[in-house]
Every structure is written in structure tokens, then in C-alpha cells.
């Protein structure tokens, strides 16, 4: 039976995930507006968007080291408000010399928050003794969609206002949630060791989770960055139909995450990841072969069904492999989020230019199939006690 403190930490963690989804969407949706406002070329904005996840990877690694000593609560109380401030600063930046540092600090902070919020999610999962991470990622998706709806409704207002208004809510949410998160001692409750340096965690059992995370985000980057190009150039969709592909992807992701925890409790994480990899593979195969617009939209939705289960189970499994509850394993897995995003954008973009966008989606197809092979690495177990 959950205690009042259990429910408090769970509610606070929901808020943290929601704030992160809102912050990320508020910036991502305005990339084209920022490009136009500052007169950035396609090459310049592409390079900048590839550098940001590199900084996020650095932030994720640093988060692992800091959280092992201070706990993820202290990390989140600083980093999450910084994310919101950077998003607002990017919207208000009058020129490129001020825009670039805002985006780079955003990258560092967002990487730290991504790692820290999943450390909190795993800590809550330990307290409840059952799978709850899909629910947290579901809230991320809901608030991300809310950020998109706000951007649509506020179109026509000055860009600084459009980006700052949701960030005021984000700062308020992070300030509310921060004091209520799991403390460093609570994060380690139920673990098998009092503490462990980062070097004490072996890499070998974490590698399948890291690879699955990278392959997931290659697919996610392919869909997020190139679905509109595919719909326009391959199946010749018009402006009304083009957005349906990404909507199908996100709607399917949200729908699966709503019931994901129940499915994992019943069938186990390895089975769910295996099924997810198979469905994502079929989805990308459908994208490669789709003869019509409706089938292309359905195929993009199917990729969302399959890929949506991988990230929550990767973090949950990483938490089980960290016997001291340091968060180092989670930070390592989170790093491959950004590896996959960078590789996916470059790989699919390059293949699309060389061989056409239809064939370019063959790359995430093969990597989604590899997730099926990696699924046994998600079986519940703990790493051996660190040396």
C-alpha cells in the first residue's frame, strides 16, 4: 500500500516529466521561426541542431557523476528551471550571438534533466515495487502535445511571448515539484549497496540497453525530422495531409504509453520490448513500401506503437542494474538518446539525398529489427556487486 510520501514523490515526478515535455516542445516547434527571425541558412540551423544534442550528451554524463554524489533531486532543482529560462531566452534573443549560448546551455541542462527525471522515475518505481515509468513518459507526451497546441493557438503573437508564456508555467511547476522529489537517501532505499563510484558499474550488462536506446532514437529522429519530406516527396501528400503522419506517430506513442505499465507487469519487459521492436520494424517496412498516403500514415503510426515502449523499459532496466541506486547506469543509457538522435538525423538525411527518402527509411528499419535481438537484455536482474 503506497504511503503518503510515495504518492507525493510520484506526483512530483509526474510534474517534472510534464515540464520537460512542455519545455522541449516549446523550443522544437519554433525552430523554423528562429531560423527565419535570425536569417539562418539550412546548413547553419542543421549544424546548430546537431551540436545541441552533443551538449545534451555532456550534460547527461555530468548528471550521472553529480547525482551519484548529491542525488538527482538537487540536480533537477537547478537544471530544470535553467532549461525553461534558456527556452525563453532563445525566443527573446535579438541576434545570433545571444541565441547560440542560450541553445548550448539549453543542451547541457536538458541532458541533465533527462537523466535526472528518469533517476527519479526509477526511484519511484522502486518505492512502489511495480512498473510505473510508462506513465511518466505518457505525461511527457501529453504536455509535449499541449506545447504544440499552444504554439498553434498563439501563432501571430510575438515570438518572445509565444515561447516565454509556457516557460512561466514550466518554472512554476519545477519549483513546486523540486522540494517534493525523492531525496538522495530515498533514491537508494531498497538497493543492495550504500554507494558506488561510477567506475564500479560494469558496462557489459548495460550495453544492450544503450544500443536499444540509440536504435530507438535513430528511428525517432528519422520520423521527427523527415516525415514531412517523405509525405510531400514520396506519396505526394498536400499540406492538409502531410501533418497526419507525425500526428499518427505521436498519437500512437501516447496511446501505448497509457497502458504500457499494465502490459509490462503482465508480460515482462523483455517480451514487451521484443514485440515493440517487431512492430516498429513492420512500421518502417510499411514506410518503405507504402503505395498510398493512407497506408503511409498508418505505417508511421505503427512505428510509434513499437518505439514507444523502448525508452521507459531501457531506464527501468538500467535502474535494476545499478545495485547502489547511484543513477550512473541511467545516465549512461540516456547518453545514447543523443547519440541516436545525431546519427539518425545525419544517416537518414544523407541516405535520403543520395538514394531517395523511401529507401532512406530502410536504415531505421534494420535498427528496429536489431532491438528484437537486444530484448533479452531487458530481463529483470541486478548487476553483480561492484568491485
Amino acid at each position: 500500500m503506497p504511503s503518503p510520501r510515495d504518492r507525493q514523490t510520484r506526483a512530483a515526478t509526474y510534474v517534472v516529466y510534464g515540464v520537460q515535455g512542455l519545455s522541449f516542445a516549446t523550443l522544437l516547434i519554433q525552430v523554423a521561426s528562429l531560423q527565419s527571425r535570425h536569417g539562418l541558412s539550412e546548413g547553419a540551423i542543421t549544424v546548430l541542431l546537431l551540436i545541441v544534442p552533443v551538449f545534451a550528451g555532456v550534460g547527461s554524463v555530468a548528471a550521472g557523476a553529480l547525482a551519484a554524489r548529491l542525488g538527482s533531486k538537487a540536480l533537477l532543482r537547478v537544471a530544470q528551471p535553467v532549461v525553461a529560462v534558456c527556452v525563453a531566452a532563445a525566443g527573446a534573443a535579438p541576434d545570433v550571438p545571444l541565441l547560440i549560448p542560450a541553445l548550448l546551455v539549453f543542451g547541457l541542462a536538458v541532458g541533465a534533466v533527462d537523466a535526472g527525471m528518469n533517476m527519479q522515475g526509477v526511484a519511484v518505481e522502486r518505492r512502489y515495487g511495480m512498473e510505473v515509468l510508462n506513465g511518466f513518459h505518457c505525461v511527457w507526451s501529453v504536455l509535449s502535445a499541449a506545447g504544440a497546441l499552444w504554439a498553434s493557438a498563439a501563432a501571430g503573437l510575438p515570438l518572445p511571448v509565444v515561447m516565454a508564456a509556457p516557460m512561466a508555467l514550466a518554472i512554476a511547476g519545477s519549483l513546486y515539484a523540486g522540494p517534493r522529489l525523492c531525496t538522495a537517501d530515498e533514491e537508494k532505499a531498497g538497493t543492495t549497496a550504500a554507494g558506488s563510484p561510477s567506475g564500479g558499474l560494469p558496462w557489459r550488462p548495460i550495453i544492450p540497453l544503450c544500443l536499444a536506446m540509440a536504435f530507438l532514437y535513430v528511428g525517432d529522429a528519422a520520423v521527427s525530422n523527415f516525415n514531412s519530406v517523405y509525405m510531400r516527396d514520396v506519396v505526394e501528400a498536400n499540406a492538409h495531409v502531410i501533418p497526419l503522419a507525425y500526428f499518427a506517430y505521436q498519437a500512437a506513442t501516447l496511446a501505448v504509453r497509457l497502458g504500457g505499465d499494465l502490459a509490462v507487469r503482465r508480460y515482462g519487459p523483455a517480451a514487451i520490448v521484443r514485440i515493440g521492436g517487431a512492430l516498429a520494424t513492420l512500421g518502417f517496412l510499411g514506410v518503405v513500401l507504402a503505395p498510398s498516403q493512407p497506408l503511409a500514415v498508418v505505417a508511421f503510426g505503427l512505428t510509434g506503437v513499437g518505439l514507444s515502449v523502448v525508452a521507459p523499459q531501457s531506464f527501468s532496466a538500467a535502474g535494476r542494474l545499478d545495485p547502489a541506486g547511484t543513477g550512473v547506469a541511467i545516465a549512461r543509457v540516456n547518453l545514447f538518446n543523443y547519440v541516436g538522435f545525431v546519427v539518425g538525423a545525419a544517416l537518414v538525411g544523407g541516405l535520403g539525398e543520395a538514394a531517395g527518402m523511401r529507401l532512406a527509411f530502410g536504415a531505421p528499419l534494420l535498427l528496429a529489427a536489431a532491438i528484437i535481438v537486444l530484448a533479452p537484455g531487458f530481463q529483470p536482474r541486478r548487476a553483480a556487486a561492484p568491485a
Side-chain angles (χ1 to χ4, degrees):
M1 184 72 178
S3 68
R5 176 58 181 152
D6 293 336
R7 288 191 287 269
Q8 183 185 58
T9 58
R10 188 175 185 180
T13 306
Y14 277 129
V15 173
V16 168
Y17 274 82
V19 166
Q20 184 74 336
L22 179 62
S23 302
F24 188 78
T26 299
L27 179 64
L28 185 64
I29 290 166
Q30 301 299 343
V31 166
S33 298
L34 291 170
Q35 180 184 9
S36 299
R37 182 180 185 182
H38 297 287
L40 296 171
S41 67
E42 291 292 337
I45 195 67
T46 299
V47 169
L48 192 56
L49 290 177
L50 290 177
I51 291 175
V52 169
V54 172
F55 273 68
V58 174
S60 180
V61 172
L66 290 172
R69 293 166 174 78
L70 304 175
S72 59
K73 176 180 178 176
L75 180 73
L76 287 168
R77 295 189 70 176
V78 174
Q80 188 152 62
V82 170
V83 169
V85 169
C86 287
V87 172
D95 50 39
V96 174
L98 291 177
L99 173 66
I100 290 176
L103 292 179
L104 296 185
V105 175
F106 167 84
L108 287 171
V110 85
V113 174
D114 276 346
M117 73 182 187
N118 284 294
M119 294 173 197
Q120 285 289 320
V122 168
V124 173
E125 198 167 71
R126 285 196 189 106
R127 294 177 71 91
Y128 273 74
M130 63 181 183
E131 292 77 10
V132 296
L133 271 177
N134 275 291
F136 294 135
H137 284 265
C138 179
V139 172
W140 189 100
S141 297
V142 170
L143 268 293
S144 180
L149 291 176
W150 161 252
S152 176
L157 294 176
L159 186 62
V161 175
V162 174
M163 296 182 69
M167 292 305 93
L169 293 176
I171 291 174
S174 63
L175 293 177
Y176 165 83
R180 295 165 173 81
L181 294 169
C182 290
T183 65
D185 289 339
E186 288 173 330
E187 284 187 81
K188 293 178 173 62
T191 60
T192 60
S196 166
S198 62
L201 286 175
W203 268 95
R204 184 173 180 178
I206 302 174
I207 287 175
L209 313 179
C210 296
L211 292 176
M213 181 68 84
F215 297 163
L216 151 66
Y217 276 97
V218 168
D220 183 77
V223 174
S224 299
N225 292 328
F226 301 109
N227 74 89
S228 59
V229 178
Y230 173 95
M231 292 295 291
R232 181 193 66 197
D233 296 345
V234 177
V235 295
E236 300 179 347
N238 61 35
H240 295 289
V241 176
I242 286 174
L244 296 180
Y246 193 61
F247 174 80
Y249 176 76
Q250 289 292 356
T253 297
L254 176 57
V256 171
R257 285 177 173 171
L258 283 170
D261 288 326
L262 294 175
V264 173
R265 292 168 202 165
R266 180 167 183 177
Y267 300 108
I272 294 301
V273 170
R274 187 178 294 111
I275 293 169
L279 291 175
T281 302
L282 289 175
F284 282 117
L285 181 62
V287 172
V288 171
L289 301 177
S292 64
Q293 296 172 17
L295 289 178
V297 171
V298 171
F300 276 109
L302 191 56
T303 64
V305 172
L307 294 178
S308 63
V309 302
V310 179
Q313 296 316 306
S314 296
F315 290 121
S316 183
R320 291 191 296 269
L321 290 170
D322 183 355
T326 63
V328 172
I330 293 171
R332 289 178 182 175
V333 170
N334 187 64
L335 172 64
F336 283 79
N337 166 350
Y338 311 111
V339 172
F341 186 87
V342 172
V343 170
L347 178 62
V348 177
L351 288 175
E353 186 173 350
M357 196 52 64
R358 187 185 289 275
L359 291 180
F361 275 89
L365 185 159
L366 295 175
L367 295 178
I371 293 175
I372 304 172
V373 180
L374 296 169
F378 289 76
Q379 284 299 129
R381 64 179 184 268
R382 292 185 181 272

